[in-house]
Amino acid sequence: VQPWAEALYQQRKRDFGKDSMETKCLPFGPAYTTTPYREHTIIQTPAVIVILNNDLTYRRIFMDGRQLEKNPNPTWMGYSVGHWDGDTLVVESNGFNESTWLDSDGHPHTEALRMTERYRRRDFGHIDLQILLEDPKAYTKPWTVAVRMDLEADTELLETVCENEKDRGH
C-alpha cells in the first residue's frame, strides 16, 4: 500500500467509515463486487451482461468484442468489457472515479484502478469470483480478493432507497 493510501484507510477506520458511500447515499462502485453480502440480479444476453443492484444502480458488461476504454470518463460504476475463457467469465473494468472505495472497509483507489474479475460457476447455486485489483498510484503491487456468490432461489431483488443522510453527522 502506498503511504498516502494507508494513511487514508487508517483515517477511515478511525472515523468508523463516516464518509462511506453508504452513509452519503452514493453508489458503491467497486465495492459492489468485492463485498459478498451485496444483493444482485444478473441478466445475460449475447451482447451485454447487466448486473442490477438493490439500490437501483446497475453495471453493464459489454460482451460484443469491444476493447476496454483507453481514456474513459470516470464514473461511479466504471466501464466494463467481458469475454468467456472456457467456463470462466472474465471481466475487465476501468474508469472508476476516486469517490468510491474498494470495499466496505475503506480501502482507497485512484482513477488508475483496473479491475479484472473471473467468475466461475462451481455448481448450480455457487459462483467463485476472483478479483485482481491493480492501481499503481495507490498500491505497490496488484492484489487479489476472493468472493463467494450464492444463489438465493425464490427471492426477489428488493429495492433499497437511501433517503436519509441526516444521521451522518452523528
Side-chain angles (χ1 to χ4, degrees), residues 6-165:
E6 179 64 21
L8 180 55
Y9 170 65
Q10 293 301 328
Q11 180 64 45
R12 289 172 174 171
K13 281 176 51 178
R14 281 191 300 277
D15 291 343
F16 299 104
K18 72 176 179 68
D19 290 324
S20 72
M21 285 73 57
E22 192 164 25
T23 60
K24 290 182 171 184
C25 295
L26 296 172
F28 287 86
Y32 283 111
T33 306
T34 62
T35 308
Y37 60 84
R38 300 276 178 226
E39 296 174 1
H40 314 284
T41 293
I42 300 172
I43 301 169
Q44 180 180 344
T45 73
V48 68
I49 295 174
V50 178
I51 300 176
L52 304 174
N53 301 305
N54 66 342
D55 67 351
L56 308 178
T57 59
Y58 65 92
R59 181 173 170 212
R60 291 181 303 177
I61 302 167
F62 294 101
M63 301 292 292
D64 57 5
R66 69 180 74 184
Q67 299 298 305
L68 198 58
E69 288 283 333
K70 297 213 184 311
N71 273 323
N73 182 28
T75 65
W76 295 96
M77 303 305 290
Y79 181 84
S80 300
V81 297
H83 67 274
W84 288 99
D85 181 10
D87 64 351
T88 301
L89 172 63
V90 179
V91 179
E92 296 176 272
S93 303
N94 67 354
F96 296 100
N97 68 38
E98 295 181 1
S99 300
T100 59
W101 296 2
L102 288 180
D103 55 23
S104 58
D105 292 334
H107 287 93
H109 68 85
T110 70
E111 290 181 2
L113 173 65
R114 185 170 172 141
M115 208 166 66
T116 303
E117 302 150 85
R118 298 182 66 81
Y119 294 83
R120 190 178 80 53
R121 189 174 183 176
R122 182 170 12 109
D123 55 37
F124 174 73
H126 305 95
I127 295 176
D128 293 323
L129 170 58
Q130 293 288 325
I131 308 162
L132 176 67
L133 300 159
E134 300 174 89
D135 186 347
K137 293 182 179 179
Y139 301 93
T140 58
K141 62 183 181 179
W143 50 294
T144 303
V145 176
V147 176
R148 180 180 159 164
M149 299 172 72
D150 298 322
L151 173 66
E152 294 185 21
D154 300 323
T155 61
E156 289 292 324
L157 183 67
L158 300 175
E159 64 185 31
T160 302
V161 179
C162 187
E163 299 180 83
N164 180 8
E165 66 175 273

